[in-house]
Amino acid sequence: MEWETVIGLEVHAQLNTVSKIFSGAATAYGAEPNRQACAVDLGLPGVLPVLNEAVVRKAVMLGLALDAQIAPRSVFARKNYFYPDLPKGYQISQFELPIVARGHLEIELDDGSRKRIGVTRAHLEEDAGKSVHEGFGTMTGIDLNRAGTPLVEIVSEPELGSAREAVAYMKKLHALVRYLDICDGNMQEGSFRCDANVSVRPVGQSSFGIRTEIKNLNSFRFVERAINFEVERQIDLIESGGTVVQETRLFDPDRDETRPMRSKEEANDYRYFPDPDLLPVAVHAEDIEAIRAGMPELPDAKRERFARDYGLSPYDAGTLTATRELADYYEALVAACGAPKLAANWMMGDFTAALNRSELEVARSPVTPAALAQLLTRIRDETISGKIAKEVFDAMWAGEGDADAIIAGRGLKQITDTGAIDRIIDDVIAANPVQLEQYRAGKDKLLGFFVGQVMKKTQGKANPAQVNERLRARLSGD
Amino acid sequence: MTLDTLSGWARRLQAGEISSRELTELYLDRIERLDPDINSFVTVTREQALAAADAADQRLARGERAPLLGLPVAQKDIFCTRGVRTSCGSRMLDAFVAPYDASVVERMNAAGAVMLGKTNMDEFAMGSSNETSHYGPVLNPWDPERVPGGSSGGSAAAVAARLVPAATGTDTGGSIRQPAAFCGVTGLKPTYGRVSRYGMIAFASSLDQGGPMAASAEDCALMLNAMAGFDSRDSTSLERPDEDFTAGLDRDLKGLRIGLPREYFGDGLHADVRRAVQDALAVLRERGAEPVEISLPNSDLSVPAYYVVAPAECSSNLARYDGVRFGHRCNDPRDLMDLYTRSRAEGFGAEVKRRIMIGTYVLSAGYYDAYYLKAQKVRRLIAEDFRRAFEQVDVIAGPTTPELPFRLGEKSADPVRMYLSDIYTIAANLAGLPGLSMPAGTIGSLPVGLQLIGNYFDEGRLLNVAHQFQQETGWHQRMPAAFA
């Protein structure tokens, strides 16, 4: 039987506010346990939540970027359940009236076509704390630093058809929140994570199969592997006569499998009701327009502009706009060197390779756009060849100085004096009479050999185009 | 020395006739001597009080002025007080020492008040008789066999017995006004949002409101000046210009339209209470007020709606008492579930458990619409009744409670009869309106309360009417003989 996969993602993005969603405590990661939890975060008797306005602004930005509806009035509700790291016995979330509803995001598929994925809703909520199981013997420690950290939960329609599509969607969303600067996107620290709802059905069937929910996937790789495993597991199960149980599962990256966490039958009745401590959130049309006016250019618009203004291929434009930092770097580089295509090739080639080698983010690159522009300018004005430029770039990356200093210091300036090149060519021809004879007998491929010999003698500093042209003339005996 | 009112003491302190230390010692001694008879205090903070009194004396000596400077007060044990146990009348918080001051406490301290201690109350403010307190019932100073009302019974009894000139209370369904009526003191529940709820341990967040309890309307006005005001830490706090609630006390009542809801004078009303209330209304009429018969047609729905909304909110508000971070924790829990269930089973009393269960039920999937949503609709109907009434009248008056203070144990076995004790007070909470109760007469030795309900933010008017009444009558000056 042919099977079809149906996936919906619930992405939790931590909003990068300075303070928590309902208290003044700091949100910074990595503090000593419980040092960033104030009376409100601890849920002490008598404390009350006060909404952080910055959280609302960031959610509105997200809604606008998803082309969604911004609710003029949204309501915080209490989701009631007992858990040791949930200090109040309820989580403040949004239930019936979320701040963002009915948006969409376009992803690019492997075949280059585009697919629109519906976003059902995005709602604001507070994060819980963390249970710590190591170091307490049979007891469990509670760290409430994370309690009250603002989250936006972005729920997609079940419109993703494969693990690849799910990853493409998540990457797209990841780029979006970083472009908007509403989330730091740090997946290792859990700032951007997702739950995947996965089901399968025979191709052609319109009703959904029974779904499982894989919790807390915090890398793109895990999303892909977990979904692929789960899809295969479900198909195997059904084909061998079993049925899928609706349940929550966890992905174990070490064993590359998903395992049941708890079954939905035991799930809580969360007894949602509007939180009487918080007023409904009103977002007025003029607030929305003010926020819209302050929004940065979004990835899709930037990609189109890059293709149009810089003459880049859709692929190159897509690569260079994948992150806001990369795009900003590229624009600074083009502005300084005036060569969009050359700049694109260098950024997607040597620059990206160097970043990967050094495991650095664009922002931490030791070579600034201005420095790289100087290097590209030296290629364009034929001071050095592209090949020599790679050597200069490596030296720049290693911190040896700017391009001009390295070229001068290492004597890498290209030889463009025709007389000098001719003299070297003559020496090379004289030293290789056998090859000369073969070339003249019609073995054209030997031109490369002669070019190589010349470049070797000049330590790569001769202008390759010039060498080619002069060699051809001399070898033909002209 | 003869006992004076809060306002009276304020004048005498400023005139230098008495020091704050002398005044504080006077009341601390009364508490020590007389409180064992009524059990109105849970905690007495003698040392801190004397230190605060000395500090107040220094400020007075420097010529400083503050609304409550040097005046002894008591805090209901529902308000968090830094470094002092805040029990909320519950075993659950028997050992809980708050690390911060409630906004009300902070404001009163800043106004120079000297806190003598924390007053007894129904557990988590759930009760109408003060019998649900972990610390034992408060006894009514007028008759120790009778209840003082609740949940602010400790504050009401302490003020009635003149163990303190004024105290704070909180009112979710009548918890200031009903005990004020039972103990013969004046108590005001302000408009919802007037007084910050920050640091006031939540029972039902959309109904809870702190307010003053004292011997007179004038004293309540003085207290409210210190208690009320916008607080950015409470999202339901209202941003209003500062108001001096003592400023309008002396206005006469000529032309004041007093609405008398016929539903508040119906069958359930004790005949003697009715008579006392009517006599009191006659006094207001003599001072120029015009009675107008009105109707609040949805009044009979207020108790049922309240007993859905309040338990629903409390079931969620009290979830934080789980034995994990603070409060009572059972011994040797076997596992997490055992920790939860035994800590809560041991820490909470029967009435609190009953309301948590009702609240959990009405919020459950499948029941939410029928109970919680319906109750919210009833709330809007009740608010609408009042809106229409206030198109015709300036204040609404009636009995605070349908009957006299009942005997201890009389209603403990019948929660519904107990709940009906608040039948006239609950509507003001559901609508968020201000309400006041003041002593309006006696039956035998027992006090009867007259309730005034005002439009939003009309506390000044309620205090004005009560003050004018108190200029004419001496009910508020009566003191139970055993405590004179």
Side-chain angles (χ1 to χ4, degrees), chain B residues 34 132 168 201 204 299 479:
Chain B
L34 300 169
T132 72
T168 56
I201 296 179
S299 292
M479 231 190 282

Side-chain angles (χ1 to χ4, degrees), chain A residues 104-122:
Chain A
H104 58 85
L105 195 62
E106 220 170 56
I107 58 169
E108 193 164 320
L109 306 184
D110 290 339
D111 65 3
S113 66
R114 303 179 73 78
K115 180 174 176 183
R116 177 185 271 215
I117 307 299
V119 172
T120 317
R121 59 185 278 161

Side-chain angles (χ1 to χ4, degrees), chain B residues 139-475:
Chain B
L139 308 182
N140 192 317
W142 296 97
D143 178 350
E145 291 183 359
R146 291 177 189 269
V147 304
S151 64
S152 312
S155 290
V159 171
R162 305 299 192 258
L163 305 187
V164 69
T168 56
T170 62
D171 190 315
T172 305
S175 278
I176 286 176
R177 291 160 289 158
Q178 186 253 21
F182 277 13
C183 291
V185 303
T186 305
L188 172 67
K189 179 202 95 75
T191 307
Y192 184 79
R194 233 346 160 176
V195 171
S196 170
R197 292 187 297 115
Y198 189 80
M200 193 178 105
I201 296 179
F203 158 19
S205 314
S206 73
L207 302 161
D208 295 342
Q209 184 62 200
M213 306 181 81
S216 69
E218 185 186 12
D219 290 358
C220 283
L222 195 61
M223 283 279 282
L224 189 60
N225 277 352
M227 294 174 75
F230 174 68
D231 181 8
S232 60
R233 290 173 295 187
D234 174 359
S235 309
T236 61
S237 169
L238 294 158
E239 251 176 305
R240 303 274 303 181
D242 277 348
E243 218 173 293
D244 178 0
F245 296 100
T246 63
L249 293 174
D250 292 327
R251 275 183 300 172
D252 66 45
L253 303 183
K254 283 201 186 67
L256 181 87
R257 297 166 301 166
I258 298 188
L260 306 176
R262 72 175 70 95
E263 293 81 5
Y264 285 22
F265 293 88
D267 282 347
L269 182 59
H270 190 289
D272 292 343
V273 176
R274 179 197 309 267
R275 211 166 18 252
V277 167
Q278 273 162 352
D279 289 349
L281 291 169
V283 173
L284 293 175
R285 202 159 42 230
E286 277 160 29
R287 289 189 78 99
E290 296 163 11
V292 180
E293 191 178 313
I294 59 166
S295 174
L296 298 169
N298 293 293
S299 292
D300 60 330
L301 298 178
S302 58
V303 170
Y306 176 86
Y307 278 98
V308 170
V309 174
E313 292 181 8
C314 102
S315 71
S316 175
N317 282 333
L318 270 60
R320 69 190 62 197
Y321 308 106
D322 57 5
V324 174
R325 294 163 312 284
F326 48 76
H328 178 72
R329 175 186 286 192
C330 67
N331 284 325
D332 304 319
R334 281 191 314 280
D335 53 25
L336 180 63
M337 193 50 72
D338 188 44
L339 170 74
Y340 283 157
T341 52
R342 271 201 296 134
S343 298
R344 287 169 69 80
E346 294 166 5
F348 291 139
E351 182 61 26
V352 169
K353 287 177 191 163
R354 175 165 24 244
R355 297 197 194 189
I356 289 174
M357 284 188 280
I358 294 171
T360 304
Y361 180 83
V362 300
L363 288 176
S364 298
Y367 298 99
Y368 178 83
D369 290 8
Y371 291 105
Y372 187 80
L373 273 190
K374 189 79 150 211
Q376 293 293 8
K377 283 178 192 156
V378 168
R379 252 182 117 159
R380 282 194 290 276
L381 292 177
I382 286 166
E384 184 58 21
D385 281 358
F386 280 112
R387 194 193 61 74
R388 266 196 296 268
F390 283 118
E391 285 173 355
Q392 304 170 51
V393 299
D394 303 307
V395 297
I396 290 169
T400 308
T401 65
E403 52 190 22
L404 294 170
F406 45 88
R407 290 178 191 282
L408 273 109
E410 193 180 325
K411 299 188 181 186
S412 309
D414 188 348
V416 174
R417 271 189 69 209
M418 182 78 88
Y419 297 166
L420 289 171
S421 185
D422 293 328
I423 191 164
Y424 302 136
T425 48
I426 278 174
N429 299 84
L430 290 171
L433 294 166
L436 176 149
S437 179
M438 61 173 165
T442 53
I443 293 160
S445 68
L446 296 173
V448 174
L450 176 76
Q451 179 178 221
L452 300 171
I453 298 173
N455 210 339
Y456 299 105
F457 308 113
D458 230 358
E459 290 87 350
R461 173 93 73 166
L462 299 184
L463 291 164
N464 164 231
V465 175
H467 183 69
Q468 291 301 306
F469 180 82
Q470 290 174 348
Q471 296 307 294
E472 193 74 15
T473 62
W475 301 119

Side-chain angles (χ1 to χ4, degrees), chain A residues 342 346 350 375 378-380 382-393 414 455 460 462 464:
Chain A
L342 182 65
W346 266 82
D350 293 75
L375 176 65
R378 292 299 162 255
I379 299 172
R380 296 185 73 207
E382 304 194 332
T383 305
I384 52 172
S385 66
K387 185 147 181 261
I388 289 292
K390 288 175 192 292
E391 179 188 335
V392 176
F393 177 77
Q414 196 158 246
M455 295 310 281

Side-chain angles (χ1 to χ4, degrees), chain A residues 148-208:
Chain A
T149 300
L151 298 177
V152 60
E153 181 177 331
I154 307 153
V155 183
S156 85
E157 289 290 313
E159 292 175 350
L160 296 158
S162 67
R164 301 275 297 162
E165 286 185 18
V167 169
Y169 168 86
M170 199 173 166
K171 279 188 172 162
K172 192 70 188 280
L173 206 50
H174 186 254
L176 191 63
V177 296
R178 295 189 64 195
Y179 260 86
L180 294 170
D181 191 25
I182 61 174
C183 170
D184 68 15
N186 190 322
M187 298 177 77
Q188 268 171 345
E189 291 172 7
S191 302
F192 191 85
R193 56 188 193 260
C194 87
D195 304 337
N197 286 293
V198 179
S199 66
V200 297
R201 62 183 171 192
V203 171
Q205 179 182 308
S206 61
S207 60
F208 293 122

